[in-house]
Amino acid sequence: MNKKIVLLFLLTLVFSCKKTNEGISIKKVTVNYFENPLGIDDPHPSISWFMVSNERNKKQSAYQIKVASSEKALEDDNNLLWDSGKLNSHQNSQIRYAGSKLNSRQHCYFKIKVWDENDVASEWSDTNFWTMGLLNQTDWKAKWIGFKTDDKNKKDTLHLPPAPYLRKSFSVNKTIQKATLYVTALGVFEIALNGEKIGQDLLTPGWTNYNKRIYYRTYDVSNTINQGENTLGAIIGDGWYAGYVGPKVLSKPRNRELYGSHPALLSQLEIQYEDGTKKIIVSDESWKAKEGPIVYADLLMGTGYNANLELPNWNTSNYDDQNWDNVYIHEGTKGVLQAYPGNSIQIYDEIKPIEITEPTKGTYVFNMGQNFAGHARLQVQGNKNDTIIMRFGERLYDDGKLMTENLRFARATDTYILKGEGVEIWEPKFTYHGFQYVEVTGLKNKPDHNTITGISFGSSIPMESSFTSSDTILNKMFENVIWTQRSNFMEVPTDSPQRDERLGWLGDVQIFSKSALYNANLGAFNKKWFADVRDAQYDFGPYSVFAPQPYPKLEWFSPGWMEAGVMVPYNTYKFYGDTKIVEDHYESMTRFMDYHIEKSKNDKFYPEDSWAEAKPKGGFGDWLSMTDKHLAHDIMASMYYQYALKIMAEMSAAIGNQEKADYYQSTYKTSVAAFIKHYLNENGKFQIDETIYGDGKGYFEGEKGFTGHTQSAYATAIYFDILPEALKIKAGEHLVNLLEENDNLPSSGILGIRQLLPALSKIGRSDLAYKILLKKEYPSWGFQIANGATTIWERWNSYTPEKGFNGEMNAKMNSFNHYAFGAFSQFLFSDMAGINTKDAGFNKIIIRPKLGDKSLTNVHGEYGSINGKIVSSWSINDNTFSLDVEIPVNTTAKVFVPAKKDYTIKESSTPITGKKLKILERDGIYQVLDIGSGSYSFKSEI
């Protein structure tokens, strides 16, 4: 009898274990959007995870998080920093640490367990960790150090000093437990320990307003330190701090040293020994310095390197630095030292040339086949002092020569002087270029495909989504968007990577932000940039037109641009459900809204000529539109203001400020009513009093005259959903008529282009949206592809066969790698694939594919949400419609399946009868059903 009881017990135990493992398991864990981050300074970091399961309809019903200061304490369940206990909750993202107060240098190891809808527990997750950085300014014992170098080329009109080389030797004579390096620079740095570069980051520590904040990086160097002698070696460059930054026209005459004259290093290496003692090696007067082979290094101008000046083993202990000079103590900065919160710049690809030409004797042009941001690796063999010059450009003239006039003041030239010792391989430091073509001169031998290798890099944002369709041109358009995003998300979301600009323009990014969020995980990247936006906000409320803002005397703000300070945080919140981002930015956003509300207090909106004080006058408006008359700036200013009110109400409610939410909602309604009464007639047509603008003198593009009747005006009103239904219908009719008059080609500029396709979809004209998107004639996205585009152009007319590179405008403003007009790509996910969220954070997913004019036979979209991968993949074969859907664990989806009215939809070849799946309702051409997590295959007839 006892044997039977024991056997029954064992079977029960085995079954229980099996049941536990067959529930849900934790797949990926992040802290503040990173896996196992080092040196954060958030006292309440946000923990997120997503789960996987082989079963359908799996939900999390509870979770438990345990955090300890060591792996052993976590394993022993002893002296925990935090034990959440079993909390009944569906939440699996943005869970804030709520344990004991965290201290500088603290190590936090944690694990997570979840329970499913049947209260079946998962296994504990793998142990993850984060470490705290230096939380107090008094933790820093290091001093800012520098070494002044002089430009050796006095004939050059540019000031390009050599990069300082700095070193410090120290000894270690005990067993190390842990070694951590905290390091930053005013400028950019590369640091090595015993000859080994620390980290994979480039252009570190990035760009901020150095007078307000500067970020440091944290590296675990425990495995790089030797017993005995060790050496730290650092190179520092001017970077954004002291180098050339932005358009020359904004900072004449010098255009550099906008924050300081000389770069500086701040380094603190902390060694914890096994015996409990500690040693700290800091940057101070004891460091040595010297000029080296980097004879100049500048973000815009390029890098020069003389291999004959190399310092072999300079960053190791096998080097005599007696002839090196002493560093000086740099004045440093009043900016607060903070842990870097974003995605550092890293290499993501290497590219070989697809063609090598020789347009003139001795001048070789390498076609990389792709426009991108980065630099080129040179492999060359020659004589001592041979000089190789590399110039970079996006396009060629018809004669095959490099076109560089659109670079404006940016020299974008790298120079390498050979030492003449066999094959030499070199990559520049502290610069980057935007290019598809590399012109090389100075070669003594004919080059091959190994002479030049493209090294593409950008902020290391995880690109977790994909899109394909039956249209190869559309697929190429999406690829171009991805390359453009990677090229321009370079520490900040820049406008272009090639010319003397590369600024974080707010107008461009607010238009592109939703596309960017579909394409990549931007939680950390955006959080960092929002701090830049706050630092660039003017004291009286408006946001600067770009952030960071390196020009202290420049006061530029513009409607439609400055609303990015509200719209991009809102989009980020909607994608990730991250209320901490809203809270951190809320005071800044309320100051901005107070400015708007005060400015519009008389009329409640903006009638004609309301923005004469904006810089430029009236603001930039619908910049780069193709209309005969410019859309009245005040119409767009009013609608952007109203949309900001609407989303501020939603964000206020999300963080528990209902009083403010009600206030913004009430202000919104009043403003919209006044706006409609003034600007729209009974037929839903936008109308303005053009006489108020006079001859338009002084207004940005005012010489064209102004109108209210444009594609962008109606598309924006529909997209922002500010019109009552009757007027929305009429506005939609005007939009369609304007498109028909323009051969169904877009004329919108960057303030309206994002809205165009989704607006058509909203009024039931996705067929027209498809036609516009898939057009190949000028102006269109397909036209760009037909004319060699591998990234998105700044202008519809950046190039035409008739006018080439747009005449004199090419030298003024013409980029071939500019993401604003790539904002169409949000339509690929939100409408074509039909992936949306009802709530914030894609917990309640909507799958509603728009088939348009049925010109596509298949679409496949994958979005890497914070809850895991969401897939919507459909195809049409004659009258048969197939839809494959993948929904992450702990989420639900409302799926809209196009189907004939009386057709019974099938799922996995089985008719849906209401037993496991149930049709909820009919909505137009769709049959609607709710599903839980898992993979589904639907079929219908259409």
Side-chain angles (χ1 to χ4, degrees):
M1 184 68 177
N2 288 338
K3 289 183 178 179
K4 289 183 178 180
I5 293 172
V6 170
L7 181 61
L8 182 61
F9 171 76
L10 290 173
L11 287 171
T12 303
L13 184 63
V14 170
F15 177 75
S16 298
C17 290
K18 186 176 180 182
K19 184 178 180 183
T20 301
N21 291 330
E22 281 189 350
I24 51 182
S25 58
I26 297 168
K27 178 74 181 276
K28 181 180 178 181
V29 179
T30 59
V31 178
N32 288 358
Y33 299 99
F34 293 103
E35 296 181 64
N36 302 325
L38 297 176
I40 69 174
D41 58 9
D42 183 349
H44 303 285
S46 297
I47 300 171
S48 302
W49 62 88
F50 69 76
M51 297 156 282
V52 294
S53 174
N54 292 324
E55 302 174 26
R56 286 181 176 179
N57 301 310
K58 301 303 293 182
K59 300 205 76 170
Q60 173 190 295
S61 63
Y63 70 83
Q64 183 175 9
I65 302 174
K66 291 184 177 184
V67 185
S69 57
S70 70
E71 289 185 89
K72 188 175 188 312
L74 185 64
E75 183 180 339
D76 294 344
D77 211 23
N78 186 31
N79 293 323
L80 297 179
L81 296 170
W82 182 38
D83 183 353
S84 69
K86 181 182 178 182
L87 294 176
N88 293 325
S89 172
H90 297 299
Q91 187 177 357
N92 65 289
S93 65
Q94 316 299 352
I95 295 167
R96 302 186 194 183
Y97 169 81
S100 302
K101 182 181 178 181
L102 300 175
N103 301 312
S104 294
R105 310 172 181 87
Q106 182 120 38
H107 286 235
C108 301
Y109 298 87
F110 69 102
K111 59 184 179 180
I112 305 163
K113 178 184 283 189
V114 296
W115 286 260
D116 70 7
E117 72 284 354
N118 298 316
D119 203 33
V120 175
S122 72
E123 300 288 348
W124 282 103
S125 70
D126 293 337
T127 298
N128 295 271
F129 68 87
W130 77 86
T131 70
M132 302 302 293
L134 303 180
L135 305 184
N136 309 301
Q137 298 301 302
T138 54
D139 292 326
W140 285 94
K141 309 304 178 186
K143 299 177 182 179
W144 287 104
I145 60 173
F147 183 66
K148 294 179 181 179
T149 61
D150 294 320
D151 186 356
K152 303 298 186 290
N153 188 352
K154 302 302 181 182
K155 295 181 180 180
D156 193 344
T157 56
L158 299 179
H159 180 67
L160 296 170
Y165 283 59
L166 314 175
R167 59 175 266 123
K168 167 71 176 180
S169 293
F170 61 95
S171 61
V172 170
N173 300 311
K174 297 181 183 180
T175 304
I176 292 174
Q177 182 187 69
K178 199 78 174 174
T180 306
L181 177 65
Y182 306 97
V183 59
T184 187
L186 292 169
V188 289
F189 74 86
E190 181 177 297
I191 194 162
L193 178 55
N194 298 323
E196 182 179 329
K197 180 186 173 184
I198 303 302
Q200 302 300 313
D201 309 322
L202 303 176
L203 303 179
T204 316
W207 186 12
T208 57
N209 182 335
Y210 303 99
N211 300 313
K212 293 188 177 182
R213 76 184 74 227
I214 182 168
Y215 294 122
Y216 66 89
R217 294 302 308 237
T218 302
Y219 299 103
D220 182 349
V221 294
S222 304
N223 297 326
T224 315
I225 291 185
N226 301 324
Q227 285 293 308
E229 288 299 307
N230 294 267
T231 297
L232 279 167
I235 314 171
I236 51 176
D238 290 342
W240 293 275
Y241 177 76
Y244 288 93
V245 174
K248 184 177 182 180
V249 68
L250 293 182
S251 59
K252 290 180 179 178
R254 197 156 171 81
N255 199 226
R256 56 172 281 122
E257 299 169 8
L258 300 179
Y259 299 99
S261 300
H262 302 282
L265 180 77
L266 188 74
S267 172
Q268 185 158 312
L269 173 60
E270 300 189 355
I271 303 172
Q272 187 74 40
Y273 294 118
E274 291 282 4
D275 64 5
T277 59
K278 187 176 182 179
K279 183 172 186 174
I280 302 179
I281 295 91
V282 299
S283 51
D284 59 15
E285 300 92 334
S286 66
W287 284 56
K288 296 286 191 175
K290 189 177 179 64
E291 292 182 12
I294 300 179
V295 294
Y296 67 86
D298 186 84
L299 292 170
L300 298 182
M301 304 306 168
T303 295
Y305 189 93
N306 187 342
N308 299 290
L309 303 178
E310 287 180 345
L311 308 167
N313 300 318
W314 72 274
N315 51 14
T316 73
S317 298
N318 184 27
Y319 186 83
D320 184 357
D321 63 7
Q322 289 187 48
N323 294 324
W324 284 44
D325 297 312
N326 295 321
V327 298
Y328 77 99
I329 301 302
H330 192 281
E331 62 272 17
T333 173
K334 294 179 181 179
V336 179
L337 281 163
Q338 295 180 332
Y340 185 71
N343 300 95
S344 62
I345 296 171
Q346 295 186 5
I347 294 169
Y348 62 84
D349 204 359
E350 295 192 2
I351 303 171
K352 287 293 184 182
I354 62 171
E355 183 184 27
I356 304 171
T357 57
E358 191 178 7
T360 60
K361 186 172 179 57
T363 299
Y364 298 94
V365 174
F366 294 75
N367 179 359
M368 310 310 295
Q370 175 63 54
N371 200 359
F372 64 97
H375 61 229
R377 179 195 298 140
L378 173 68
Q379 180 174 306
V380 65
Q381 188 168 4
N383 301 319
K384 184 181 178 69
N385 291 324
D386 283 353
T387 300
I388 309 300
I389 297 175
M390 295 181 288
R391 298 199 308 143
F392 300 83
E394 297 182 289
R395 304 280 291 194
L396 302 179
Y397 291 110
D398 291 340
D399 61 3
K401 293 179 181 178
L402 191 70
M403 189 277 286
T404 60
E405 64 180 352
N406 71 325
L407 304 184
R408 301 190 306 209
F409 186 56
R411 184 174 287 175
T413 301
D414 294 338
T415 303
Y416 181 78
I417 300 175
L418 279 72
K419 57 188 173 183
E421 298 177 4
V423 175
E424 301 178 42
I425 299 174
W426 174 72
E427 288 185 39
K429 300 183 191 299
F430 307 150
T431 191
Y432 77 95
H433 315 293
F435 65 100
Q436 179 173 335
Y437 299 91
V438 186
E439 177 197 273
V440 180
T441 56
L443 295 171
K444 295 298 172 59
N445 302 302
K446 190 172 183 179
D448 60 25
H449 285 72
N450 293 315
T451 302
I452 293 292
T453 302
I455 309 298
S456 54
F457 53 80
S459 290
S460 52
I461 49 177
M463 307 297 288
E464 297 178 339
S465 301
S466 63
F467 176 89
T468 57
S469 74
S470 55
D471 189 297
T472 56
I473 300 297
L474 180 59
N475 298 342
K476 179 61 177 171
M477 286 160 52
F478 177 70
E479 290 176 17
N480 286 8
V481 169
I482 296 299
W483 276 103
T484 307
Q485 182 171 347
R486 289 203 119 159
S487 299
N488 283 290
F489 277 49
M490 187 75 74
E491 176 60 18
V492 301
T494 66
D495 59 313
S496 54
Q498 76 295 99
R499 67 188 180 214
D500 66 330
E501 193 159 351
R502 312 183 195 186
L503 299 174
W505 284 93
L506 271 68
D508 301 62
V509 74
Q510 70 89 355
I511 283 292
F512 186 67
S513 66
K514 201 168 179 181
S515 295
L517 284 159
Y518 270 119
N519 295 339
N521 185 329
L522 295 179
F525 180 88
N526 282 355
K527 176 183 172 67
K528 184 270 174 189
W529 186 65
F530 296 156
D532 297 329
V533 172
R534 292 193 293 274
D535 289 347
Q537 186 174 14
Y538 296 113
D539 291 340
F540 61 103
Y543 292 109
S544 169
V545 292
F546 40 73
Q549 212 282 50
Y551 312 108
K553 295 182 180 180
L554 184 70
E555 191 177 278
W556 269 17
F557 57 96
S558 174
W561 263 251
M562 56 189 183
E563 282 74 19
V566 175
M567 293 173 66
V568 184
Y570 172 75
N571 287 341
T572 308
Y573 157 70
K574 289 294 284 185
F575 271 68
Y576 304 125
D578 189 346
T579 54
K580 187 186 291 185
I581 279 178
V582 177
E583 291 167 3
D584 290 347
H585 203 58
Y586 192 74
E587 186 276 332
S588 170
M589 292 191 292
T590 54
R591 277 198 297 125
F592 172 68
M593 297 310 299
D594 288 347
Y595 163 78
H596 253 312
I597 292 167
E598 174 63 23
K599 180 173 172 55
S600 63
K601 65 181 180 181
N602 292 331
D603 296 291
K604 311 305 179 187
F605 69 102
Y606 296 115
E608 295 88 341
D609 199 29
S610 290
W611 286 91
E613 84 282 11
K615 302 292 190 314
K617 184 178 179 181
F620 289 103
D622 194 22
W623 169 238
L624 301 179
S625 65
M626 299 285 287
T627 52
D628 293 332
K629 290 186 176 182
H630 206 53
L631 172 58
H633 299 174
D634 305 288
I635 288 179
M636 287 299 253
S638 296
M639 290 193 288
Y640 269 94
Y641 163 51
Q642 288 151 7
Y643 184 69
L645 285 167
K646 183 194 292 190
I647 61 180
M648 276 297 290
E650 185 178 341
M651 285 189 285
S652 298
I655 62 172
N657 194 338
Q658 192 57 49
E659 181 180 355
K660 206 70 170 173
D662 294 340
Y663 169 67
Y664 287 129
Q665 187 63 30
S666 172
T667 307
Y668 164 77
K669 290 179 179 178
T670 302
S671 179
V672 168
F675 169 78
I676 290 173
K677 184 177 180 180
H678 181 83
Y679 277 124
L680 276 87
N681 65 18
E682 65 277 6
N683 295 318
K685 183 177 181 179
F686 278 110
Q687 53 187 10
I688 64 168
D689 185 348
E690 293 185 54
T691 63
I692 294 176
Y693 294 105
D695 62 3
K697 188 175 182 180
Y699 275 94
F700 190 72
E701 295 191 341
E703 69 281 357
K704 293 172 62 174
F706 292 99
T707 181
H709 188 59
T710 70
Q711 293 178 17
S712 288
Y714 298 109
T716 302
I718 295 165
Y719 181 85
F720 287 166
D721 200 21
I722 65 175
L723 302 179
E725 189 61 28
L727 276 180
K728 184 165 79 172
I729 293 171
K730 292 177 179 179
E733 291 170 353
H734 288 299
L735 175 59
V736 170
N737 290 337
L738 282 169
L739 284 162
E740 289 177 351
E741 291 169 10
N742 202 43
D743 295 326
N744 289 331
L745 290 165
S747 63
S748 292
I750 71 168
L751 271 196
I753 194 60
R754 170 199 50 210
Q755 294 90 273
L756 180 60
L757 303 180
L760 289 168
S761 190
K762 275 192 171 194
I763 61 172
R765 293 303 308 272
S766 66
D767 60 322
L768 186 51
Y770 268 59
K771 286 178 181 176
I772 294 166
L773 182 63
L774 301 177
K775 282 271 192 176
K776 310 298 188 293
E777 300 88 352
Y778 168 80
S780 70
W781 295 282
F783 174 83
Q784 296 181 18
I785 304 294
N787 285 276
T790 61
T791 43
I792 301 299
W793 296 351
E794 179 178 22
R795 299 171 172 272
W796 293 116
N797 58 350
S798 284
Y799 172 84
T800 61
E802 296 78 19
K803 295 185 178 181
F805 301 119
N806 204 13
E808 65 179 23
M809 184 55 68
N810 189 42
K812 292 181 179 179
M813 190 168 290
N814 196 20
S815 166
F816 292 88
N817 196 341
H818 208 101
Y819 54 63
F821 279 122
F824 72 84
S825 68
Q826 82 174 55
F827 181 79
L828 309 185
F829 288 95
S830 65
D831 289 76
M832 284 184 160
I835 301 173
N836 286 286
T837 182
K838 183 178 180 182
D839 62 346
F842 285 87
N843 301 297
K844 298 177 180 178
I845 299 162
I846 297 170
I847 303 291
R848 186 172 185 154
K850 304 290 180 64
L851 309 187
D853 58 359
K854 299 185 179 65
S855 55
L856 299 182
T857 57
N858 64 75
V859 162
H860 182 93
E862 294 187 10
Y863 166 58
S865 81
I866 196 165
N867 294 312
K869 184 170 65 175
I870 301 170
V871 178
S872 173
S873 181
W874 57 261
S875 62
I876 299 174
N877 186 3
D878 293 329
N879 292 326
T880 301
F881 177 80
S882 301
L883 175 63
D884 293 332
V885 172
E886 191 174 324
I887 304 299
V889 168
N890 204 36
T891 68
T892 60
K894 181 167 281 190
V895 180
F896 293 72
V897 182
K900 290 180 179 178
K901 195 167 186 179
D902 298 321
Y903 185 83
T904 301
I905 298 173
K906 296 177 181 177
E907 195 286 310
S908 297
S909 303
T910 302
I912 296 175
T913 59
K915 293 180 180 180
K916 293 184 178 180
L917 293 171
K918 183 180 179 181
I919 303 297
L920 299 178
E921 60 181 336
R922 180 86 186 176
D923 185 346
I925 67 168
Y926 300 98
Q927 294 191 38
V928 186
L929 54 151
D930 278 336
I931 62 173
S933 66
S935 298
Y936 300 81
S937 293
F938 299 101
K939 269 192 171 26
S940 66
E941 286 189 6
I942 56 175

